[in-house]
Amino acid sequence: MTYRAPVRDIAFSLRHAAGFDRLSGAFPDADAETVQAVLDGAGALAGDILAPLNRTGDLTGARLENGVVRTAPGFGEAYQQFAQGGWNSLAADPAHGGQGLPKSLEIGVFEMVHAANMALGLCPMLTLGAIEALAHHGSDRQKALYLPRLVSGAWTGTMNLTEPQAGSDLAAIATLATPDATGGWSITGQKIYITWGDHDVADNIVHLVLARTPDAPPGVKGISLFLAPKMLVDEDGSLGAANALRAGGLEHKLGIHGSPTCVMLFEGARAELVGELGKGLAHMFTMMNAARLQVGTQGVAIAERAYQQALAFSLERRQGRSAWTGENAARLFDHPDVRRTLMLMKARIEAARGVCLSTAVAADLATHGATEDERVAAKLREELLTPIAKAWSTDLGVEVASQGVQIHGGMGFVEETGAAQHYRDARIAPIYEGTNGIQAIDLIGRKLGLGEGQAIGDLMDDVRDTIDTLNAAGDPALGTIARRLETALDAASSATAWLIERRARAMPDALSGATAYLKLLGDVVGGWMLAKGALAASAAIAAGEGDAAWLGGKQALARLYAEAVLAQVPGQVAGVMIGAADFEATTPEMLGA
């Protein structure tokens, strides 16, 4: 099944859901023509170069031969086209060879990259995170030596956190960094689940590694961040001998087979400190937060890919009698339940796309806003939305991919159609870069208190402003969306107030409702995104601008989401407020252990 990049949908969401036009003053080069050209070019790369290799990567996978990781056929050539086209450098600082375009435009581009070939897209995704970490915390020498080569894509980057005894609990890592005789460091230890930890598509790999120093205190305060290249680098940037590190094995995974997930062995590898001793986890979070938004975008991307395949199949496959047309052997598309499922799939995709792009626009404004007040407010919005973008969007990706299999019926459960691959590939996204449970804990444990409640308060005020605008339009269809969104927002307000009160005196109660709250708030914010799109579509139709049928689809999706998703939000509040008493009293024996 071919992939057609949804360029028009992404451009619409960027502008009308995410508010991309607010960046015009900070990014004068990112005018409408430039944005369209970038999205069109990325769509062509995704559809023509990356997508045809997706199935090959799944069937062939990466392999470890004589200590070297070999990637799937065609991956190396495709990566080189990606790098040579400048796609790795879109949002990077021009001082290091970047194009200085908005992060939000880069996120729109990477949605297409991940949808076309999620396994291959993971390689530059991790490199972007390494660029962020070094740009914020690297020394001047490190920036000059490593950033231009990472930005160009000539070298790639990785993130080395997890160890066999330390999954998400990074306080338990044991990898050791000891001073060497040259003023540098020597790293010894094992890291697991290292995405693209070794490969053959670029000349060098820059590993960012969390490790302890010999006299470091226990816990997270004893963790520092180090840079250890696969090939040692001379001061002029030329490559020297191989460093004392290697891939000790490849993980055998449920999905993303084309992405080499490595067990990395550091055997006295030469390294250098990044930033300050003992601040490694804080420095690494710069990279992790960038990756979390990218992973949320992967949820949107894999959902889009699964949806496109399900839609195409529904137009080709003939089964049963249509309740509408009376036709025997009717297209699956002509059965009401199938069409409803497809529309809900698309509505959820567009809602999640809006959430991720809005998070990215907030990140752009947090750095480039015109005033300090604007930058502060945008940073609060970025931090509040990041766990929602990551967790809600990736859960949605799994759900939509599952629905894609369902529409295929038995054909979806066999590997030959490719629908199963999307479901398998999607399943990792709720796990890596901080499991979705951790995102929920972060949301209620830290993000609700941001700015003494200003972050969540401002968000709810903005949603209410959109409700007022919907009601003022005088359109009954928009009024329906407004009513459902308002009821859902009131429910979210009640759940939020309960959680804030419980955080102060009964944290187990708050934690017990964390995942339910993240879903509830994600459903509301997603509905807000679609509502803004419906308003823009209504205004364009009234003005006689654009494709009326396509714009009408935006209104229809927002109405369906309001009736099918937002209408259920009040019922979710009980799940948030369930409390911890029953969980505290539960023993392993009660659960059959």
Side-chain angles (χ1 to χ4, degrees):
M1 152 69 187
T2 56
Y3 166 70
R4 184 181 69 254
V7 171
R8 184 161 61 160
D9 287 337
I10 292 172
F12 182 89
S13 188
L14 258 178
R15 184 177 182 192
H16 299 296
F20 185 81
D21 290 351
R22 289 180 292 163
L23 302 177
S24 59
F27 296 94
D29 292 337
D31 55 36
E33 289 184 4
T34 300
V35 169
Q36 192 63 51
V38 169
L39 294 176
D40 286 340
L45 173 79
D48 298 341
I49 305 300
L50 305 182
L53 298 173
N54 192 48
R55 189 67 175 152
T56 301
D58 185 57
L59 294 173
T60 305
R63 62 193 188 279
L64 182 60
E65 293 181 347
N66 300 318
V68 178
V69 173
R70 305 296 183 191
T71 50
F75 271 38
E77 294 82 356
Y79 176 79
Q80 288 303 317
Q81 291 189 55
F82 174 90
Q84 290 166 10
W87 298 106
N88 214 60
S89 66
L90 285 174
D93 190 334
H96 308 302
Q99 300 176 51
L101 291 169
K103 174 67 67 178
S104 43
L105 180 57
E106 180 181 75
I107 289 293
V109 165
F110 265 79
E111 182 199 316
M112 294 182 270
V113 170
H114 292 313
N117 195 322
M118 182 174 162
L120 181 53
L122 279 163
C123 180
M125 187 196 95
L126 268 295
T127 302
L128 294 182
I131 291 169
E132 290 263 1
L134 288 177
H136 282 85
H137 307 295
S139 66
D140 289 343
R141 174 190 162 278
Q142 288 168 344
K143 292 176 184 178
L145 192 57
Y146 291 100
L147 281 181
R149 294 161 180 85
L150 289 169
V151 167
S152 72
W155 298 352
T156 66
T158 71
M159 177 166 44
N160 291 255
L161 287 74
T162 306
E163 299 176 11
Q165 79 291 346
S168 299
D169 183 10
L170 296 177
I173 67 170
T175 295
L176 186 65
T178 56
D180 63 19
T182 67
W185 298 82
S186 174
I187 294 183
T188 301
Q190 181 186 106
K191 297 289 185 177
I192 61 172
Y193 306 147
I194 308 307
T195 301
W196 284 82
D198 191 46
H199 57 75
D200 55 3
V201 307
D203 294 335
N204 204 8
I205 303 172
V206 178
H207 296 286
L208 295 183
V209 187
L210 289 183
R212 295 187 177 282
T213 52
D215 56 352
V220 296
K221 293 182 179 180
I223 299 172
S224 299
L225 180 61
F226 297 88
L227 184 159
K230 176 182 178 180
M231 306 299 295
L232 297 173
V233 180
D234 294 331
E235 290 303 313
D236 63 358
S238 60
L239 298 182
N243 205 351
L245 58 91
R246 60 188 173 91
L250 292 181
E251 307 290 358
H252 301 282
K253 309 187 298 289
L254 177 68
I256 53 169
H257 295 152
S259 170
T261 305
C262 301
V263 176
M264 294 301 300
L265 304 178
F266 294 85
E267 302 169 320
R270 289 176 58 185
E272 50 191 278
L273 179 69
V274 177
E276 299 179 45
L277 281 173
K279 298 291 183 65
L281 195 57
H283 296 339
M284 185 62 89
F285 261 104
T286 301
M287 186 176 188
M288 289 178 68
N289 281 332
R292 284 173 176 175
L293 178 53
Q294 281 275 357
V295 171
T297 303
Q298 285 182 338
V300 179
I302 201 69
E304 173 70 33
R305 184 72 184 265
Y307 162 75
Q308 286 193 18
Q309 179 159 338
L311 175 61
F313 185 82
S314 77
L315 295 172
E316 297 166 359
R317 180 74 166 171
R318 292 184 173 272
Q319 295 276 286
R321 183 184 183 89
S322 170
W324 282 317
T325 67
E327 180 186 12
N328 286 317
R331 301 178 304 177
L332 290 180
F333 184 78
D334 291 325
H335 296 288
D337 187 61
V338 172
R339 198 172 297 185
R340 178 183 188 275
T341 299
L342 287 165
M343 288 184 68
L344 268 174
M345 290 166 75
K346 187 168 180 61
R348 287 186 163 115
I349 290 164
E350 296 208 352
R353 178 180 289 130
V355 171
C356 290
L357 291 175
S358 291
T359 308
V361 166
D364 284 324
L365 288 172
T367 303
H368 301 283
T371 67
E372 177 66 15
D373 286 347
E374 184 178 26
R375 292 190 292 273
V376 169
K379 186 63 178 176
L380 291 174
R381 179 63 53 86
E382 177 197 0
E383 292 198 23
L384 177 65
L385 289 183
T386 293
I388 300 171
K390 193 280 178 184
W392 187 76
S393 300
T394 55
D395 282 343
L396 179 146
V398 174
E399 181 183 356
V400 170
S402 177
Q403 291 170 331
V405 172
Q406 189 71 22
I407 285 177
H408 281 75
M411 294 289 187
F413 201 69
V414 297
E415 289 289 348
E416 284 77 5
T417 61
Q421 180 191 344
H422 306 320
Y423 188 38
R424 290 186 287 101
D425 287 352
R427 193 59 191 85
I428 185 57
I431 297 173
Y432 57 19
E433 300 307 337
T435 65
N436 285 359
I438 289 174
Q439 303 304 315
I441 292 169
D442 178 50
L443 177 61
I444 66 120
R446 194 171 75 86
K447 302 303 174 60
L448 288 187
L450 286 175
E452 297 183 351
Q454 179 186 343
I456 188 66
D458 286 351
L459 175 68
M460 292 188 172
D461 286 347
D462 286 350
V463 178
R464 226 168 267 287
D465 287 346
T466 298
I467 293 168
D468 292 342
T469 305
L470 288 164
N471 284 322
D475 182 333
L478 295 179
T480 297
I481 298 169
R483 285 192 297 276
R484 291 298 192 192
L485 184 56
E486 183 170 27
T487 302
L489 181 63
D490 288 343
S493 256
S494 297
T496 301
W498 186 87
L499 282 171
I500 289 173
E501 187 271 333
R502 288 287 160 161
R503 279 184 349 138
R505 66 181 184 87
M507 183 56 87
D509 285 349
L511 291 172
S512 296
T515 292
Y517 178 73
L518 189 148
K519 182 185 184 305
L520 182 156
L521 192 57
D523 285 349
V524 173
V525 176
W528 178 42
M529 296 295 131
L530 291 175
K532 289 193 285 184
L535 277 168
S538 178
I541 291 171
E545 300 171 351
D547 181 341
W550 180 77
L551 291 166
K554 300 298 182 188
Q555 296 174 309
L557 293 175
R559 287 195 301 272
L560 176 61
Y561 186 97
E563 299 287 18
V565 179
L566 291 179
Q568 296 182 28
V569 168
Q572 296 176 36
V573 175
V576 176
M577 299 182 179
I578 197 167
D582 282 343
F583 307 135
E584 185 177 10
T586 299
T587 65
E589 291 75 21
M590 290 169 62
L591 298 180

